[in-house]
Amino acid sequence: MFETGQLVVYGTTGVCRVEGTGTPDLKGITKLYYLLRPLYQDGVIYAPVDSEKVLIRPVISREEAERLVALIPSLHVQACRGRTLQQLAQHYQSIVQTSDCRELMELTMSIYTKRQEAEQQKHRLGMVDEKYMRQAERLLHGELSAALGIPYDQVPAFIASRVGKPAQ
């Protein structure tokens, strides 16, 4: 069980604060639910405490976040290419659904590499790539923000200062 006030990652919603647990005032519902409040979007989520459908886990520690950022210069990722847009989207979606920070970082870097290649050829990045890059960055930056205790919008500058590159 998670404690009230604890920060957790809830599926592809991202970082949420546990506001409490209880049984909603709805007819026929007797299960125990977490009341989650997303940090970086509006709304409230009622998530079953015993749900196996949607991943819910604690936010990584500050040390884990710093280790992850320190890994960036050593990661060598290649642009992912699918035979079809549907295959590419399925591949990206499977990574996003893991909510694993390292995988999200590798996905972001992979799509960024693809963007640079497209720009060199005077092309634009495809919509599928753009969509999943935004989603992966949102999840990754949200968790790093919470773990490091810095504002969400300062995460790119924090990463850049650690890896010695300008913020993207």
Side-chain angles (χ1 to χ4, degrees):
M1 291 269 303
F2 297 106
E3 301 289 322
T4 298
Q6 186 174 356
L7 295 178
V8 297
V9 174
Y10 180 71
T12 57
T13 300
V15 179
C16 298
R17 183 174 313 281
V18 177
E19 297 283 319
T21 57
T23 305
D25 257 349
L26 298 172
K27 186 176 182 178
I29 296 188
T30 58
K31 291 171 79 175
L32 192 59
Y33 282 74
Y34 288 116
L35 173 62
L36 305 175
R37 187 164 309 277
L39 292 189
Y40 307 111
Q41 53 188 302
D42 293 331
V44 174
I45 298 169
Y46 288 95
V49 168
D50 60 354
S51 176
E52 294 179 14
K53 289 183 181 180
V54 179
L55 173 74
I56 184 170
R57 64 169 176 77
V59 168
I60 61 173
S61 69
R62 179 179 193 86
E63 293 75 27
E64 289 172 303
E66 288 175 351
R67 272 196 303 273
L68 183 65
V69 171
L71 273 177
I72 292 173
S74 66
L75 295 177
H76 298 288
V77 297
Q78 295 184 359
C80 178
R81 307 199 190 285
R83 285 189 219 154
T84 67
L85 286 178
Q86 184 177 5
Q87 285 178 331
L88 185 63
Q90 286 173 343
H91 173 71
Y92 288 164
Q93 184 65 28
S94 70
I95 293 170
V96 167
Q97 286 179 331
T98 68
S99 294
D100 179 88
C101 287
R102 182 175 176 144
E103 288 190 32
L104 291 171
M105 184 169 288
E106 289 173 355
L107 175 61
T108 301
M109 291 173 66
S110 168
I111 297 173
Y112 179 75
T113 298
K114 210 169 174 180
R115 175 187 280 162
Q116 287 181 312
E117 291 171 2
E119 286 173 355
Q120 288 173 352
Q121 297 175 3
K122 306 278 191 251
H123 293 126
R124 291 179 47 188
L125 193 59
M127 285 176 42
V128 169
D129 296 299
E130 286 284 353
K131 172 187 173 184
Y132 284 100
M133 184 165 181
R134 278 192 310 272
Q135 191 172 10
E137 281 182 335
R138 178 182 59 79
L139 292 169
L140 178 64
H141 290 183
E143 188 158 5
L144 290 175
S145 169
L148 296 166
I150 61 175
Y152 180 92
D153 61 350
Q154 290 181 14
V155 171
F158 175 85
I159 292 171
S161 73
R162 295 299 199 270
V163 299
K165 294 182 179 181
Q168 295 292 328

